[in-house]
Amino acid sequence: MNKIFEIALGIVTSIGGFLDVGAIATAAEAGSIYSFQLIWAIVLGTICVIFLVEMSGRLAAVSKHTLAAAVRERFGFNFYIIPLC
């Protein structure tokens, strides 16, 4: 049961990092202006977010590190600071 909570925590953490209020508001505004002309972008974006969340959850569950900590550990602090800035 403890593993399920670890996986769930990784998934919730990764979702919170990629979906925010600005993204939802921008998508709603674009939807009201362009109607269904941008539905392909929503479908493609949803599929990409599903894969990204799943991979981040696996990384967090297996390595017991967040995505940022894993990048810092694998590539060093100099590489980690570039996306951070």
Side-chain angles (χ1 to χ4, degrees):
M1 191 63 137
N2 198 13
K3 284 287 187 193
I4 294 173
F5 289 129
E6 289 177 5
I7 293 172
L9 179 62
I11 291 171
V12 168
T13 303
S14 61
I15 289 172
F18 298 117
L19 296 177
D20 58 352
V21 175
I24 295 170
T26 304
E29 184 177 350
S32 67
I33 294 172
Y34 295 106
S35 187
F36 287 109
Q37 294 175 358
L38 295 176
I39 195 74
W40 66 269
I42 294 171
V43 171
L44 181 64
T46 302
I47 292 170
C48 290
V49 167
I50 287 170
F51 282 119
L52 188 60
V53 167
E54 190 266 337
M55 288 186 289
S56 297
R58 281 187 187 199
L59 177 78
V62 172
S63 69
K64 296 184 181 10
H65 293 295
T66 62
L67 184 61
V71 167
R72 186 178 59 239
E73 181 180 315
R74 175 76 169 104
F75 297 109
F77 185 75
N78 290 336
F79 185 79
Y80 169 74
I81 198 74
I82 294 169
L84 187 65
C85 292

